[in-house]
Structures are given as structure tokens and as C-alpha cells.
């Protein structure tokens, strides 16, 4: 336990950048308001306040409101979602450079969040431009291609995600649901949050980007 301390200031990303990470490095991509931002920034967890340019997302796509974090393995991060965006972008997490096209989501959506193990990423949806949607997608992170329907959530809205190497959690307001990452099916009730919030952000102590955990 304990209070947070100041780590640094992000003056570039605006609303809704999407994150990915390795065991040593955090990456933030896209977002922006009132105009979309294509910048990718990198920082090391061991060095407060120091960020560096790490590449760019493609231009001509509205990267605002992408979501809190994308699927990632120990070597690759995926960035997806935005205003009427189905496109998923791939980024090598250990090297500077621009993203390349990975594939498309089943539905265009913004405010997505995800959880991953070393091989599979689970993508929870948000708003498709006219309604909150419930279909959950998954991708095999090592294989370029479109996402595949995994199942459906019971919850709708902008939420947050967390998990470990076997289970992905999605939380919205006071409710939490989960899925088993290496299976397919609808989300199941997990329990309740102690506090409410519109757009929660989740962290996890093990995921595709954390070494052998």
C-alpha cells in the first residue's frame, strides 16, 4: 500500500492514448484532443520524468480515445481502436520505429481495453459511434491477421482491464467480469469494486510483457 508519487508529465498524448509494456519499458501511443496524435512515446520504469520518441502510428486515422492498453507479448505490442477505427497496429517493443498494419478488429470501437498472456490478447470493446457494444475479440499476437470473436460481456461502457497469465478481468463502475484467456466464451461475474468510476484503468503484476511471469 501507499500513495502515488509524481513520475513525470505527459504533454503530448491528450485523451485516450493506448499503452503497452515490457518488464522495463512503458509505451504510450496515439490519443489526442481536439485533433488525433500519431506519436509513440517510451519511458523506462527506473527513470522518472524521462520520455523519448519511439515511432509513430499511421496518419489519416483518428487515434483519439483508443483505450487504456492494448494486447502485448514480451516482444510485440498492438494498438487498436479510435473514432470509427477497426485497424490494429503492431509495434516491436524493444526497438524504435513506426507501427505496421496487424489486421482489423471485428467491430470499430473506441475506449477498448485488453489483457494478454504470452500468446493471446483479449480485447474488450467500448463505444462504436452509436452504442456501447458487448462482443469480446481475441488475437494471436505472433500472427498478423484480423481479430476473432471470443464471446460477449454482460457489462457495457468504458471500462478497465487487468489479469494474469490465465485470466482476463474487465471492470466497469462497481462490477467486475472475467474470461479465461486460452478458451472462448462469454464473460462471467467476478465480484464488485469498492469504488465507482466512469473510465477505470487497470494494472496487473503478470502479463505478456513481463518476462517469465
Amino acid at each position: 500500500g501507499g500513495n502515488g508519487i509524481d513520475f513525470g508529465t505527459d504533454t503530448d498524448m491528450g485523451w485516450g492514448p493506448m499503452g503497452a509494456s515490457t518488464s522495463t519499458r512503458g509505451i504510450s501511443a496515439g490519443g489526442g484532443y481536439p485533433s488525433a496524435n500519431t506519436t509513440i512515446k517510451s519511458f523506462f520504469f527506473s527513470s522518472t520524468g524521462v520520455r523519448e520518441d519511439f515511432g509513430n502510428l499511421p496518419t489519416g486515422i483518428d487515434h483519439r480515445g483508443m483505450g487504456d492498453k492494448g494486447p502485448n507479448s514480451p516482444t510485440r505490442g498492438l494498438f487498436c481502436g479510435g473514432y470509427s477505427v477497426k485497424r490494429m497496429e503492431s509495434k516491436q517493443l524493444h526497438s524504435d520505429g513506426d507501427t505496421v498494419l496487424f489486421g482489423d478488429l471485428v467491430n470499430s470501437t473506441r475506449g477498448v481495453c485488453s489483457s494478454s498472456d504470452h500468446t493471446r490478447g483479449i480485447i474488450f470493446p467500448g463505444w462504436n459511434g452509436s452504442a456501447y457494444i458487448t462482443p469480446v475479440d481475441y488475437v494471436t499476437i505472433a500472427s498478423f491477421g484480423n481479430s476473432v470473436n471470443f464471446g460477449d460481456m454482460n457489462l457495457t461502457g468504458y471500462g478497465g482491464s487487468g489479469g494474469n497469465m490465465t485470466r482476463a478481468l474487465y471492470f466497469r463502475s462497481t462490477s467486475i467480469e472475467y474470461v479465461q484467456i486460452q478458451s472462448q466464451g462469454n464473460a462471467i461475474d467476478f465480484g464488485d469494486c469498492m469504488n465507482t468510476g466512469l473510465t477505470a484503468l487497470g494494472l496487473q503484476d503478470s502479463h505478456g510483457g513481463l518476462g517469465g511471469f
Side-chain angles (χ1 to χ4, degrees):
N3 297 329
I5 60 174
D6 181 39
F7 188 86
T9 302
D10 186 346
T11 59
D12 297 326
M13 310 313 287
W15 179 63
M18 180 165 278
S21 64
T22 68
S23 57
T24 59
R25 169 181 280 165
I27 295 169
S28 181
Y33 190 83
S35 59
N37 191 344
T38 63
T39 304
I40 301 173
K41 295 289 187 179
S42 168
F43 60 89
F44 290 100
F45 299 126
S46 59
S47 303
T48 60
V50 179
R51 295 180 307 133
E52 60 182 19
D53 289 332
F54 205 57
N56 288 281
L57 295 164
T59 59
I61 298 173
D62 198 335
H63 301 292
R64 294 176 297 167
M66 296 173 71
D68 71 340
K69 58 181 174 291
N72 68 262
S73 70
T75 58
R76 173 178 286 171
L78 303 182
F79 304 108
C80 53
Y83 276 65
S84 301
V85 174
K86 297 177 71 173
R87 182 177 175 123
M88 294 182 286
E89 295 289 322
S90 172
K91 175 79 173 72
Q92 293 300 312
L93 299 179
H94 295 283
S95 58
D96 186 8
D98 296 344
T99 61
V100 296
L101 175 64
F102 183 88
D104 287 331
L105 296 169
V106 174
N107 299 286
S108 62
T109 181
R110 64 178 181 257
V112 304
C113 56
S114 67
S115 185
S116 310
D117 62 13
H118 281 174
T119 61
R120 176 180 282 191
I122 305 297
I123 303 169
F124 299 104
W127 177 263
N128 72 356
S130 59
Y132 292 112
I133 59 176
T134 62
V136 181
D137 290 5
Y138 77 91
V139 293
T140 301
I141 301 171
S143 302
F144 286 81
N146 298 336
S147 66
V148 178
N149 181 253
F150 182 93
D152 284 284
M153 298 187 301
N154 299 298
L155 301 173
T156 60
Y158 291 135
S161 58
N164 58 22
M165 295 300 291
T166 59
R167 182 177 283 183
L169 301 180
Y170 174 86
F171 30 90
R172 167 73 168 90
S173 185
T174 60
S175 299
I176 310 171
E177 294 186 343
Y178 78 93
V179 298
Q180 297 294 125
I181 293 174
Q182 287 295 336
S183 64
Q184 286 179 254
N186 296 335
I188 300 170
D189 180 64
F190 183 87
D192 293 310
C193 297
M194 295 178 64
N195 299 300
T196 62
L198 175 61
T199 307
L201 295 176
L203 297 174
Q204 54 200 59
D205 64 359
S206 57
H207 66 83
L210 294 181
F213 294 94

